[in-house]
Amino acid sequence: MKSKRWNLRKDYEIKAVEELAESLGVDKIIATLLVERGVKTFEEARRFFRPSLDQIHDPFIMKDMDRAIDRIEAAIEHGERIMVYGDYDVDGTSAVALLYSYLATIHENIDFYIPDRDTEGYGISFQGIDVAQRTGVKLIIALDCGIKAVEQVDYAAERGIDFIIGDHHLPGDELPRAVAVLDPKRADCPYPYKELSGCGIGFKIVEAHVESRLGVRLCDDVATLSEENRALREEMKVVLLKYLDLVALSIASDIVPIMGENRVLAYFGLKVINTRPRPGIEAILGYGHVERRTEAEKQKNPNDKSYFRRELGISDLIFLIGPRLNAAGRLHSAYDSVRLLLCDNFVQARQLASEIDSYNRDRKDLDSTATETAKQRVEADPVMRESKSLVLYDETWHKGVVGIVASRLVEAYYKPTIIFTRSADNLIVGSARSFKEFDVHTALEACADLLEHFGGHRCAAGVSLRAENFEAFKQRFEHVVATTMPVEAETPEIEIDAEVSFGEHLTPKFLRILKQFAPFGPENNVPVFLSRHLVNAGDPPPRIVGSNHLRFSAISLESRSPSFPAIGFQLGDNLPRVRAGENFSLCYMLEENHWNGKTEMQLRVKDIKFESDL
């Protein structure tokens, strides 16, 4: 396992921390965490800890939103057939489910379409437009894709089909000539929050349409509204809330920042999932061993409105729901994911969830086999072991798992990685993965002349090329990585929020406040702490559990404060030195561990360094 760099954050103003700690009456460590997240005033802290739907932005600030709503209204008025079109990943399928389910409540002539990953690929396809033409569609609303679909939108226009684009990816040099192009990342879009998910864009369309129909807006000053309009505003909130579970699912799965508007949307989406989950989400969670509360448990605590036996967070959406929904699009059809999310009957949802779970098991087998083969190739090739990047190709690898395999190799070797396989259109297609210190999308731009297509983000991208260009691309990509990646980026980094003392800071009150920082995610990650001068407490004795996980108990040498149970995943190699009583420092996250009816504070250790090595 690669050694890791520990980076203790110091990119904050000490004065701002002191002033916030005083105004809030909180520990300076808590104030530090807030300032690191851009929260510097009492009012900002109030908004952070008390999210409200009133905090989300007016959807009509978004460029072209008025045009989009006018075109949707015209389609409804004239009975035109509408197609909701989305990508095959979780963000795309949840976006389609959200907008389709809303429009279906006010318009009958509606359908949805998800492109086939193998035969059509990512984004808006000519084949999908042909289907729309054959079925009489006059308006396509594309979500989570389409911002670069200039030719496809023109092709549709020639066939009498209008487009509304709702995307969150970076635009190209030319925007599609659609009726409306909704994308906060447009250079001319004044919308203040730029990091909505694709499903988030779909939600803003729904919000704008509901506001237009009811004649009130969430951003209206309540004090200026009549009693009737206040009632309409509350009615609007009820309508919008029921779609936020899908938005939260997309935010979690698409790994967008969970600050600002996304944090508000995720916060309320999780509330919906935890109190009244839609049948499809409950059914798929059952395969993650999440159980609903029994009638006896409800009677014992009638004030607890929780639906499940434990509270679900963003990580549950990421690890329990996201991979299963993605597996449908990877190995079978993403239509199944949309149908599951739309399902209003639990028995039917359970059957669909069973099929999707079986796709996920198949995906795991394909992923495991391909990952092992790829690792064996790396280990057997001295050139690859010394290279700054990894580029591998195998025509037998399944197109649906190459991204996962690339991620696994980044974890193992900490190098920008691209995994390729053969596509149905005789191109070689691949998924690129990287880490925050290296922008893989920029590296691909430097190789653009060798590529047929590429697109994505800083840490993840899709790419396709002709077979005859593969070796040239591989050499060019390695050269770009080798000459542009900072030396320090070759070592994995753990970013530490604050250094804390066992005796002074690790209290139940401290943990209660930390829990209010949720929902966690990019730009608001679970805080990571550093504590020094620790030693094994000895009770219980340190041991290995599971697959090389180190379970032990740590105590401070300085304060001899109470010891804390700790678990370090894949850190079992450190057992002999911990057992021998060597002094160490830990970087870790605080969590609650529930076991045998007991709840205790536990350290989830990210890394351990022995002080004799420093």
Side-chain angles (χ1 to χ4, degrees):
M1 180 180 293
K2 264 184 175 280
S3 62
K4 298 179 175 65
R5 290 180 292 126
W6 292 12
N7 177 26
L8 179 58
R9 291 185 64 174
K10 296 179 181 177
D11 56 339
Y12 56 85
E13 303 171 26
I14 295 176
K15 184 178 179 182
V17 169
E18 292 173 345
E19 290 175 350
L20 187 60
E22 183 176 351
S23 66
L24 294 179
V26 297
D27 185 287
K28 283 187 179 179
I29 298 296
I30 296 295
T32 298
L33 298 177
L34 288 169
V35 170
E36 287 175 343
R37 286 154 179 76
V39 178
K40 297 182 179 180
T41 68
F42 182 91
E43 177 58 24
E44 288 171 349
R46 185 191 67 78
R47 291 167 65 87
F48 182 83
F49 286 121
R50 299 289 180 268
S52 165
L53 283 180
D54 298 340
Q55 296 170 11
I56 66 179
H57 302 295
D58 180 356
F60 286 97
I61 298 175
M62 195 176 295
K63 180 77 173 176
D64 282 0
M65 183 61 81
D66 53 346
R67 299 179 64 185
I69 298 305
D70 288 346
R71 183 63 185 88
I72 291 170
E73 275 294 293
I76 293 172
E77 181 181 347
H78 296 111
E80 293 177 346
R81 188 162 182 78
I82 300 173
M83 173 186 282
V84 182
Y85 189 115
D87 189 23
Y88 39 67
D89 68 0
V90 176
D91 190 14
T93 53
S94 60
V96 168
L98 185 153
L99 188 57
Y100 175 89
S101 60
Y102 168 72
L103 291 177
T105 64
I106 54 177
H107 187 61
E108 291 183 353
N109 199 1
I110 185 170
D111 199 0
F112 67 85
Y113 188 89
I114 309 289
D116 183 88
R117 177 187 289 266
D118 290 326
T119 60
E120 297 172 78
Y122 167 78
I124 297 167
S125 70
F126 294 104
Q127 181 177 325
I129 295 169
D130 290 341
V131 171
Q133 183 183 22
R134 287 198 301 272
T135 55
V137 169
K138 295 299 180 183
L139 173 63
I140 298 176
I141 307 175
L143 298 171
D144 192 35
C145 60
I147 195 61
K148 294 184 178 180
V150 176
E151 293 180 8
Q152 292 90 330
V153 170
D154 287 347
Y155 181 82
E158 293 168 359
R159 286 150 181 77
I161 301 171
D162 286 340
F163 253 99
I164 294 172
I165 303 293
D167 205 347
H168 69 131
H169 297 99
L170 283 170
D173 295 333
E174 181 183 3
L175 291 177
R177 285 171 283 276
V179 171
V181 179
L182 308 172
D183 189 335
K185 292 189 175 74
R186 282 181 61 168
D188 59 348
C189 182
Y191 195 76
Y193 190 74
K194 305 297 184 182
E195 300 300 335
L196 291 169
S197 64
C199 186
I201 302 293
F203 175 78
K204 300 307 289 189
I205 295 174
V206 171
E207 181 190 351
H209 195 261
V210 173
E211 288 183 348
S212 179
R213 291 174 75 87
L214 293 181
V216 294
R217 296 190 180 184
L218 276 179
C219 62
D220 288 339
D221 183 354
V222 179
T224 66
L225 295 178
S226 66
E227 187 173 335
E228 179 184 359
N229 281 344
R230 288 184 190 181
L232 285 173
R233 192 169 178 273
E234 292 306 307
E235 178 186 332
M236 178 170 57
K237 284 185 177 180
V238 172
V239 171
L240 294 177
L241 271 171
K242 67 181 181 181
Y243 299 106
L244 287 179
D245 56 342
L246 297 175
V247 182
L249 177 58
S250 75
I251 287 170
S253 299
D254 219 50
I255 320 180
V256 293
I258 305 188
M259 285 294 284
E261 188 165 10
N262 276 346
R263 187 168 184 273
V264 176
L265 299 174
Y267 176 87
F268 285 101
L270 282 168
K271 278 190 173 297
V272 173
I273 291 170
N274 277 295
T275 56
R276 48 185 187 279
R278 63 181 62 217
I281 286 181
E282 180 186 355
I284 206 72
L285 282 170
Y287 288 94
H289 307 293
V290 176
E291 300 174 336
R292 67 177 75 170
R293 292 170 70 214
T294 65
E295 288 303 318
E297 288 169 331
K298 292 177 185 177
Q299 292 174 9
K300 186 177 180 181
N301 191 356
N303 293 324
D304 185 352
K305 303 302 180 184
S306 301
Y307 190 86
F308 298 109
R309 301 183 79 173
R310 66 175 179 85
E311 185 175 4
L312 302 178
I314 289 293
S315 62
D316 294 296
L317 308 189
I318 293 173
F319 296 111
L320 299 184
I321 302 179
R324 289 178 167 85
L325 294 182
N326 267 331
R330 292 180 190 279
L331 302 189
H332 190 255
S333 170
Y335 275 83
D336 291 339
S337 297
V338 178
R339 292 189 188 103
L340 178 69
L341 295 174
L342 291 174
C343 192
D344 57 7
N345 179 291
F346 183 73
V347 174
Q348 293 175 357
R350 183 72 178 174
Q351 182 177 347
L352 271 170
S354 175
E355 294 174 8
I356 287 174
D357 188 64
S358 71
Y359 303 149
N360 192 49
R361 291 195 301 272
D362 292 342
R363 187 272 306 168
K364 286 182 178 179
D365 290 340
L366 291 169
D367 157 21
S368 177
T369 301
T371 299
E372 187 57 34
T373 301
K375 285 182 176 180
Q376 288 173 0
R377 289 188 188 175
V378 174
E379 295 301 331
D381 188 334
V383 174
M384 275 200 282
R385 290 203 306 271
E386 296 301 320
S387 67
K388 302 298 183 182
S389 68
L390 294 175
V391 178
L392 293 96
Y393 165 72
D394 191 314
E395 64 179 15
T396 67
W397 289 336
H398 195 285
K399 189 177 177 181
V401 302
V402 291
I404 301 170
V405 176
S407 295
R408 299 272 192 260
L409 264 64
V410 170
E411 291 173 9
Y413 299 103
Y414 209 69
K415 298 178 181 182
T417 299
I418 310 179
I419 300 297
F420 283 97
T421 190
R422 176 73 67 176
S423 177
D425 52 11
N426 291 321
L427 292 175
I428 293 176
V429 296
S431 283
R433 295 294 184 269
S434 186
F435 33 83
K436 69 175 185 177
E437 295 92 345
F438 186 78
D439 189 336
V440 72
H441 190 271
T442 298
L444 290 173
E445 287 178 338
C447 308
D449 59 303
L450 296 170
L451 304 175
E452 294 298 303
H453 171 80
F454 72 95
H457 306 284
R458 180 181 182 87
C459 294
V463 59
S464 65
L465 49 74
R466 297 188 180 279
E468 58 266 27
N469 289 334
F470 178 75
E471 287 301 328
F473 168 77
K474 183 176 179 179
Q475 292 176 23
R476 174 92 64 83
F477 185 75
E478 168 65 16
H479 175 74
V480 172
V481 174
T483 56
T484 61
M485 186 164 65
V487 174
E488 61 272 16
E490 297 178 28
T491 305
E493 178 187 80
I494 297 176
E495 191 169 79
I496 299 168
D497 289 272
E499 183 171 350
V500 300
S501 160
F502 268 27
E504 182 181 355
H505 299 115
L506 302 194
T507 65
K509 178 183 177 181
F510 185 75
L511 182 57
R512 282 198 302 272
I513 297 175
L514 281 186
K515 289 170 66 177
Q516 294 179 50
F517 277 66
F520 295 109
E523 295 188 13
N524 182 36
N525 288 308
V526 178
V528 176
F529 300 109
L530 164 65
S531 293
R532 306 180 197 268
H533 311 309
L534 309 176
V535 71
N536 169 38
D539 185 23
R543 64 194 188 281
I544 301 295
V545 297
S547 175
N548 201 35
H549 309 320
L550 177 64
R551 184 171 286 284
F552 62 108
S553 185
I555 193 168
S556 169
L557 282 166
E558 297 172 340
S559 64
R560 306 306 295 182
S561 60
S563 62
F564 291 96
I567 184 162
F569 292 98
Q570 299 303 317
L571 294 179
D573 294 348
N574 296 290
L575 175 63
R577 299 181 71 178
V578 171
R579 182 183 283 159
E582 289 196 44
N583 299 347
F584 51 78
S585 298
L586 297 178
C587 63
Y588 58 90
M589 299 174 290
L590 277 179
E591 62 184 13
E592 284 182 338
N593 184 39
H594 306 277
W595 181 251
N596 283 344
K598 284 180 57 181
T599 299
E600 61 181 358
M601 194 185 307
Q602 174 175 272
L603 316 183
R604 180 179 287 239
V605 179
K606 292 177 71 70
D607 200 17
I608 180 169
K609 289 187 184 293
F610 294 94
E611 295 182 359
S612 61
D613 295 337
L614 301 177

